[in-house]
DNA sequence: ATTGAAAAATTATCAGG
DNA sequence: CCTGATAATTTTTCAAT
């Protein structure tokens, strides 16, 4: 349950079938999973343990309805900066990590340097994030894209 | 375990604590969760069932390491269209839904109409998606943003 | 590496306050 | 709505193949 495999793990068809089932519903019993993937309890149990140990399975979690917990508003923020020293990036990263409304952040290739995905209660909460961010690190240009409708959202990777 | 609550659910502090624990680690036992949130097994169990029934908890799943399953490459695709009839949007939506490499898709306010997040094995797989998409629906302008580094990625909502 | 069984732990139910 | 006990199910271990 520990390693972060930077490289592709060796997996056979049975492993993939198990991952499909677990991604679909991690609350299923071993018996159910074993039946669906055409195997039996012990091998499935051993393989799940291996997939966790190898870091293929990172965590087991529940997915919440954002609206039900008051996080109706989703922004994608495109960020350009003129600063590229280590110190700047470190402070920027720390700011993103410390803010729970930041669900995702990527460093990009090309003209736009970063994209950040936010879930907040309303536009005011976005502005609070924005003000706090520019107070902490110097930013050249920001474009906020406001989601009007979530057409698709899944955590399921096509294994 | 059924309703999709479009509106914010009534929840007290204990419910929130339970959601924090489940989001952090859904494989914990009821006893562990009960101890951490300062309650006991039965109330925690009843509340979890209610949170599922109310649709606050949508699903229980495992989060995989994308690199470990060979999905090293992440793109955000910004899409502009000139078509805005119902038929076009329906075909576009169907195309996104049917493609497992599309993990997220939003309709946006402003100049850019849609943003789509993709996980693929390499740039060739992105191009295959792009070619298939423009074969199915007419698109005015596409900008693909390639992620060089995932700085943050979480499914945990700050409840 | 899988089978089948047995032990340990956990989840789900329920009577009573 | 909570406490504590009980029943049902599931997870985990293990000897044998």
């Amino acid at each position: 349950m520990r390693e972060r495999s930077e490289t592709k793990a060796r997996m056979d068809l049975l492993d993939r079938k198990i991952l499909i089932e677990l991604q679909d519903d991690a609350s299923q019993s071993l018996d159910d999973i074993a039946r669906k993937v055409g195997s039996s309890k012990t091998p499935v149990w051993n393989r799940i343990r291996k997939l966790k140990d190898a870091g293929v399975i990172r965590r087991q979690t529940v997915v919440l309805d954002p609206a039900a917990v008051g996080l109706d508003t989703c922004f994608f923020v495109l960020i350009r900066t003129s600063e590229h020293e280590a110190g700047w990036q470190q402070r920027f990263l720390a700011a993103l990590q410390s803010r729970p409304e930041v669900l995702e952040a990527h460093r990009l290739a090309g003209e736009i340097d970063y994209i950040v995905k936010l879930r907040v209660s309303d536009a005011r909460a976005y502005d609070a994030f924005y003000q706090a961010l520019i107070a902490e690190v110097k930013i050249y240009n920001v474009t906020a894209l406001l989601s009007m409708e979530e057409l698709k959202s899944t955590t399921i990777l096509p294994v």
Side-chain angles (χ1 to χ4, degrees), chain A:
Chain A
M1 250 138 154
R2 293 290 85 90
E3 299 305 313
R4 171 87 350 119
S5 81
E6 293 302 332
T7 178
K8 192 172 175 180
R10 263 193 298 98
M11 280 189 288
D12 65 9
L13 182 61
L14 182 53
D15 289 320
R16 290 176 193 284
K17 284 181 178 174
I18 291 169
L19 291 178
I20 289 169
E21 288 305 323
L22 286 177
Q23 289 191 101
D24 181 52
D25 179 4
S27 74
Q28 292 178 94
S29 74
L30 278 175
D31 265 331
D32 287 342
I33 295 171
R35 195 171 30 75
K36 289 185 191 170
V37 304
S39 182
S40 53
K41 240 181 336 193
T42 309
V44 171
W45 191 84
N46 283 322
R47 279 155 180 271
I48 291 174
R49 195 169 46 73
K50 272 188 192 159
L51 290 164
K52 285 178 179 169
D53 287 346
V56 178
I57 297 173
R58 281 186 178 166
R59 42 209 304 283
Q60 184 164 330
T61 191
V62 293
V63 178
L64 306 186
D65 178 354
V69 297
L71 299 170
D72 293 286
T73 307
C74 180
F75 280 96
F76 290 88
V77 187
L78 307 179
I79 295 172
R80 269 177 268 212
T81 181
S82 40
E83 314 280 315
H84 292 285
E85 325 90 60
W88 184 91
Q89 175 148 344
Q90 207 165 2
R91 295 208 313 288
F92 180 64
L93 182 55
L96 298 176
Q97 294 287 9
S98 72
R99 302 220 143 244
E101 64 266 50
V102 175
L103 301 190
E104 221 167 307
H106 295 253
R107 184 169 60 79
L108 301 175
E111 287 191 19
I112 298 165
D113 295 305
Y114 298 94
I115 186 167
V116 175
K117 181 190 167 190
L118 294 177
R119 275 250 170 235
V120 287
S121 54
D122 51 35
R124 278 188 63 79
Y126 165 71
D127 194 53
F129 165 82
Y130 172 76
Q131 297 294 342
L133 184 67
I134 62 171
E136 284 192 59
V137 293
K138 191 176 157 194
I139 283 172
Y140 171 66
N141 182 278
V142 172
T143 305
L145 308 176
L146 170 61
S147 170
M148 289 285 99
E149 186 184 6
E150 193 172 274
L151 302 175
K152 182 172 184 177
S153 175
T154 183
T155 58
I156 297 177
L157 300 181
V159 293

